[in-house]
Amino acid sequence: MAACAQQAGAVKETILTFYNDVTVTIDQPAQFSKHKATMIILYALPNGNTTAQTKGKLLKEGDDWHYNIQHISAQTTFLRQVLSDKNVVVCYLENSYKSWPLWKQKHPQFQQEITHIVDTLYQYFPFKKKQILLNGHSGGGSFIFGYLAGVKQIPSFIQRISFLDSNYGYDSTYTDKLSDWLKQNKKAHLSVFAYNDSVALYNGKPIVSAKGGTWYKSHQMLNDLSRSFTFNEAKADSFTIYKSVDDKIAFFLKPNYNQGIYHTQQVELNGFIHSILTGTKQENEGYSYYGKRCYEAFIPKE
């Protein structure tokens, strides 16, 4: 592992490298309080995106459109205001292939290597009051499943797992680990976001197979977890929401009546914020999921 650090404004950035092809950019408050609990969010990048694009910025003429579809930097600034009693840290997980599924193919020992990355980032902050939140969009979910496959049981310091339209790799072999973690860890929370990609078309052609997208996988995950947890169903605007009665699991499933593609909007429209705050006292505080972007004032110019 190699590291370098730089500080800009109210944020300090440190860049770590693993295995010569993984770059982790740690974004933390410059004024880091040892007296606050530290929330370490590991955000696995979607396929085809760089860290700079994932952070986002105000678009200028000629800029790549990828800078305007996630805005994790601005959404993080919003979170830091709402969660002022915590040190909110985001670790952007990028690899040289711009694809976690492809990276895993290139790394036969990916289970051990991903576990090492997560453990290293947890130990990087030498404080007792800290937690890891596993999060990712699109192909970033592959990193999360790689971690789940690499541990015998999900450790207690993992307190939140969120799939932002990213659970393509789910199968029923993960059910017991997730169920045990949710039952044994009082602070554990699982959130899943998906839209009906099974009917989505691009240039008149399906973008995924009937069983290959997050819509099918999310329903499979919901059915598997329903054997151990009781869920309530609710309608909210254009969503169907399933929450466990203990409020530790939430599925946000969006129908697709016009065969459109809503993959990135689930992040852009306050999705990252909601993945961190759903199931907490701050849920829907100053924002609404899939509503107007609440973080516009925080989008950096560069």
Side-chain angles (χ1 to χ4, degrees), residues 129-203:
K129 297 171 61 178
K130 56 185 175 180
Q131 58 183 269
I132 289 281
L133 288 69
L134 298 177
N135 201 307
H137 173 46
S138 186
S142 182
F143 178 92
I144 299 176
F145 286 123
Y147 178 75
L148 297 182
V151 295
K152 292 183 179 179
Q153 62 181 27
I154 304 172
S156 59
F157 63 77
I158 305 292
Q159 294 191 5
R160 184 171 287 255
I161 299 175
S162 301
F163 293 97
L164 283 164
D165 208 32
S166 62
N167 60 339
Y168 298 95
Y170 175 77
D171 62 56
S172 297
T173 62
Y174 297 103
T175 309
D176 288 343
K177 282 183 184 179
L178 290 170
S179 295
D180 291 345
W181 169 68
L182 288 161
K183 291 176 180 178
Q184 297 170 10
N185 188 335
K186 293 182 179 180
K187 296 183 178 180
H189 191 277
L190 171 68
S191 59
V192 178
F193 299 76
Y195 81 104
N196 191 352
D197 53 2
S198 68
V199 299
L201 300 178
Y202 179 72
N203 291 334

Side-chain angles (χ1 to χ4, degrees), residues 32-82:
F32 203 90
S33 174
K34 297 181 180 180
H35 304 291
K36 295 180 180 181
T38 299
M39 175 183 289
I40 308 164
I41 306 169
L42 307 190
Y43 188 80
L45 268 60
N47 294 344
N49 285 233
T50 66
T51 295
Q53 291 167 344
T54 299
K55 290 179 180 180
K57 66 173 186 174
L58 288 174
L59 286 186
K60 297 183 296 185
E61 185 176 353
D63 282 341
D64 190 302
W65 59 274
H66 287 89
Y67 287 97
N68 193 40
I69 61 174
Q70 295 181 80
H71 289 296
I72 302 303
S73 176
Q75 294 195 58
T76 299
T77 303
F78 179 92
L79 285 168
R80 286 175 176 152
Q81 292 198 347
V82 174

